[in-house]
Amino acid sequence: QAQLVEFGGGLVQTGGSLTLSCLGAGGFFSAYDMGWFRQGPGKEREFVAAISRYGDDIYYRSSVKGRFTISRDNAKNTMYLQMNNLMSEDTGIYYCAAKKRSASSYDYWGQGTQVTVSS
């Protein structure tokens, strides 16, 4: 069964940095495009960043450009989100997701990891 699990969430002060990891299992990771989403308090889940299966195509929502970096290491079945200069608006539950290259929507989702930006 396909499985995604996020690591690295926690509490960080405004302006700080945090790195999230997403580990994939089930033999699907390298064949899938990957993405990060988040859901802030009282908000809908929103797109954060995405990376194609070989890492050659990368996309970010405008509010995180220049601050967040998405990457992946297929040999480790892992995707990362390096978050710098964090703001209170970045607070939320962060989810990693996977979709087939030919699909228009994401098929698999992790359980989420909480990121809280304080002060």
Side-chain angles (χ1 to χ4, degrees), residues 38-46 91-93 114:
R38 67 188 181 190
Q39 185 170 11
K43 299 180 179 180
E44 297 293 318
R45 181 160 53 190
E46 63 185 18
T91 292
I93 303 173
Q114 177 70 43

Side-chain angles (χ1 to χ4, degrees), residues 23-95:
L23 178 65
F28 69 93
F29 189 87
S30 63
Y32 278 64
D33 294 336
M34 302 291 296
W36 286 99
F37 294 77
R38 67 188 181 190
Q39 185 170 11
K43 299 180 179 180
E44 297 293 318
R45 181 160 53 190
E46 63 185 18
F47 169 79
V48 177
I51 185 167
S52 61
R53 60 178 181 169
Y54 297 133
D56 51 337
D57 294 318
I58 293 174
Y59 311 92
Y60 298 98
R61 71 177 295 109
S62 60
S63 63
V64 308
K65 287 183 178 180
R67 300 190 298 119
F68 290 11
T69 301
I70 188 172
S71 62
R72 67 190 296 167
D73 187 339
N74 288 346
K76 297 180 179 180
N77 295 317
T78 304
M79 176 180 63
Y80 307 94
L81 184 67
Q82 173 66 50
M83 304 184 292
N84 298 322
N85 193 212
L86 284 161
M87 307 174 182
S88 60
E89 295 78 19
D90 296 316
T91 292
I93 303 173
Y94 282 68
Y95 300 89

Side-chain angles (χ1 to χ4, degrees), residues 95-118:
Y95 300 89
C96 66
K99 75 174 185 72
K100 296 178 180 178
R101 182 64 172 173
S102 60
S104 297
S105 60
Y106 288 83
D107 300 308
Y108 302 102
W109 297 82
Q111 83 291 341
T113 185
Q114 177 70 43
V115 172
T116 302
V117 184
S118 65

